[in-house]
Amino acid sequence: MGAAALSLMLTFLGVVCEASTPPQAAPSTEAYGVQFSCLPSQLDHVSQDMSRYLQQLGMPADLIQETFDRAQGTVTYSLLGSKEGTSTLSLGLRPELSIQDEVVLLPAKNHKMRRVTTVSKKEVLLALLHPGRLTKFKGKACEVKALIDHVGVRQNTVLWTELLEWGWPEGGPAEWNVRYWRSGTPTPDVPLHEALNDMFFQQGKYKMGCYAASKVVFAQGTLDYYRRVKRDPATARTVERRLLSDKEPLVDLEPRRMWNFETDFDPLELQRPGKVLRLIDSVAAKNFVPGDWAYFLNTDLRTNQKTGYEGSNAVYLGRNRFDDYYNDNRHYYTYQEKLNEVYQWRNDVFSRRRDFAKMQPLTAQDYERLSATPEDGGLVMGFRVAPYLFGYEDLPDLTAQPTD
């Protein structure tokens, strides 16, 4: 993602028009939402615990469907009443859901705390229950505690992504605070959590592209959740060991298969797992859960050769917002602003100030077309990436060598 970004001036040009986007097709009849796959004796316990969790978050009981399949050993929870097909972008506009942001305390420099407004756990869970994908909790993860942690990690990742203002390297090398880092590798005398914290406490000392930035926020959001929020030292050590397994905590967080669409992808890397993240395939159009890592591909064959403009790594923050690592656009982009930003690169719009006159307005029909996958003429890859269920599943072996 380049430092060139589209600002509020887009609104004045009429190129941002969320309200005019036509509704999508009705939700699929396939199972969607959150599904627990358990021993028959576990299902009733899951049902009781889920009822308490839904009540705790103030979920509308008449809109949450519980579906048992005792023969298959599953219970599935789904959100009813969606008029937007598979899109989760406008969840906050549904009055019957009563979604409100949460204000959360976040560590800051010099052992201080600051109040940050962020996505609510309720919205995270509602997005998981929404038509467009099925999230399964099975085996050791067949308990509501696994879902609670999953929601918590997602919210914590969003929280750390809310107010960023890192530098963009403008084609040059990345920059790091040398007290804590050596070109993306933590200095030997600094604990990993302190090195990661410094990237958020002293943002002016760092410059990086959006790929590195995305890995930083997922490393921080995941490790910090288990270390500081949940205070689960054993699981925090597991996360840290995986991040440091090759002494390079910002390498291979995500599975290599995420990049198999690239022309120079090595097929031998197809099975290489991510250290902390898994790939979620076949997600429906406009279906984003807060804490998702999504990818907007620049499909223009000319400008996607420009370093930093191959595509945009984007973290969904809920509330129809995607990350703005460089504070180019009031700390977030709406979905259509993100589509517009990536699309306008083909018009050589790399700086909102310098290249503003080159922008080409997009219609509601253009946005609908660009919401498809690249195979269907759009920009949005059909996968998402999200953290493992640490403590509730057997994690893939990082030492296994790829085979053909």
Side-chain angles (χ1 to χ4, degrees):
M1 176 179 180
L6 302 175
S7 70
L8 287 171
M9 291 183 286
L10 296 176
T11 305
F12 302 137
L13 278 183
V15 298
V16 179
C17 46
E18 283 85 352
S20 64
T21 302
Q24 294 181 304
S28 168
T29 56
E30 296 180 1
Y32 65 86
V34 168
Q35 183 179 87
F36 295 91
S37 180
C38 312
L39 296 172
S41 59
Q42 293 178 285
L43 291 180
D44 289 332
H45 291 293
V46 168
S47 177
Q48 294 167 10
D49 291 343
M50 191 66 174
S51 177
R52 284 191 287 269
Y53 185 43
L54 294 174
Q55 185 176 17
Q56 174 190 333
L57 294 185
M59 303 288 272
D62 58 330
L63 291 180
I64 307 299
Q65 178 172 287
E66 180 182 64
T67 305
F68 283 94
D69 185 338
R70 294 188 182 274
Q72 296 297 321
T74 64
V75 56
T76 306
Y77 296 87
S78 307
L79 176 65
L80 303 176
S82 173
K83 298 179 181 179
E84 297 296 329
T86 60
S87 174
T88 58
L89 297 167
S90 58
L91 270 175
L93 301 180
R94 292 180 58 178
E96 73 277 18
L97 299 180
S98 301
I99 295 174
Q100 296 182 346
D101 289 349
E102 291 182 18
V103 178
V104 181
L105 288 176
L106 190 67
K109 189 177 178 181
N110 297 325
H111 306 288
K112 296 181 179 179
M113 302 293 287
R114 59 174 175 162
R115 295 164 61 88
V116 178
T117 301
T118 194
V119 69
S120 65
K121 295 182 181 71
K122 182 177 182 179
E123 181 173 345
V124 177
L125 181 56
L126 284 168
L128 285 168
L129 299 178
H130 196 279
R133 74 173 79 178
L134 180 65
T135 302
K136 297 182 179 181
F137 294 80
K138 57 186 179 180
K140 291 188 295 184
C142 185
E143 56 177 298
V144 175
K145 290 180 181 178
L147 172 61
I148 292 173
D149 275 356
H150 187 62
V151 170
V153 171
R154 283 179 172 276
Q155 185 195 45
N156 199 51
T157 301
V158 171
L159 177 64
W160 283 102
T161 313
E162 291 281 4
L163 299 174
L164 294 176
E165 199 164 346
W166 288 321
W168 170 252
E170 289 289 355
E175 295 183 9
W176 307 80
N177 183 353
V178 296
R179 169 66 183 86
Y180 292 89
W181 297 87
R182 298 288 187 271
S183 299
T185 304
T187 56
D189 61 327
V190 175
L192 178 57
H193 72 274
E194 291 185 11
L196 287 169
N197 279 344
D198 187 71
M199 299 187 74
F200 297 84
F201 296 169
Q202 302 193 81
Q203 296 176 30
K205 295 187 177 183
Y206 294 87
K207 289 184 179 181
M208 72 197 86
C210 68
Y211 178 43
S214 296
K215 294 191 287 186
V216 168
V217 297
F218 277 99
Q220 175 74 348
T222 306
L223 179 58
D224 178 70
Y225 174 79
Y226 293 105
R227 186 181 181 279
R228 179 186 62 87
V229 179
K230 190 182 180 185
R231 300 192 178 189
D232 180 349
T235 305
R237 285 193 295 270
T238 297
V239 175
E240 185 170 12
R241 281 196 298 267
R242 290 182 70 86
L243 288 170
L244 292 173
S245 59
D246 56 1
K247 297 183 172 57
E248 300 290 346
L250 301 182
V251 173
D252 289 335
L253 265 74
E254 79 284 12
R256 292 301 300 163
R257 187 163 65 93
M258 179 178 179
W259 308 108
N260 69 354
F261 61 88
E262 295 182 333
T263 56
D264 60 350
F265 180 79
D266 182 355
L268 294 179
E269 295 292 297
L270 195 61
Q271 301 304 319
R272 188 180 296 279
K275 292 176 179 174
V276 299
L277 302 172
R278 63 154 45 88
L279 197 70
I280 305 168
D281 286 311
S282 303
V283 177
K286 300 184 184 177
N287 185 279
F288 300 95
V289 175
D292 272 350
W293 178 353
Y295 193 73
F296 292 70
L297 180 66
N298 179 7
T299 57
D300 179 59
L301 296 179
R302 178 180 61 88
T303 56
N304 70 11
Q305 302 302 308
K306 182 178 173 66
T307 301
Y309 297 90
E310 302 88 347
S312 180
N313 294 280
V315 178
Y316 184 55
L317 310 180
R319 302 154 291 167
N320 190 18
R321 299 179 179 186
F322 291 82
D323 65 82
D324 178 9
Y325 296 132
Y326 314 104
N327 194 20
D328 285 333
N329 197 64
R330 69 192 186 278
H331 286 300
Y332 69 87
Y333 295 86
T334 66
Y335 177 68
Q336 290 187 337
E337 286 172 335
K338 175 56 68 175
L339 285 175
N340 200 302
E341 180 206 20
V342 176
Y343 181 83
Q344 296 296 341
W345 292 343
R346 69 194 61 205
N347 297 320
D348 295 324
V349 180
F350 301 119
S351 167
R352 67 175 182 233
R353 298 177 182 88
R354 183 184 66 238
D355 305 323
F356 186 75
K358 299 178 183 178
M359 288 181 7
Q360 299 297 315
L362 297 176
T363 65
Q365 291 72 28
D366 290 328
Y367 285 116
E368 196 67 19
R369 172 177 55 84
L370 296 175
S371 294
T373 60
E375 295 83 358
D376 292 327
L379 304 181
V380 188
M381 300 301 292
F383 60 76
R384 309 287 184 262
V385 180
Y388 293 124
L389 304 175
F390 285 98
Y392 297 97
E393 65 176 323
D394 295 326
L395 301 172
D397 184 3
L398 297 177
T399 63
Q401 296 300 311
T403 58
D404 56 13

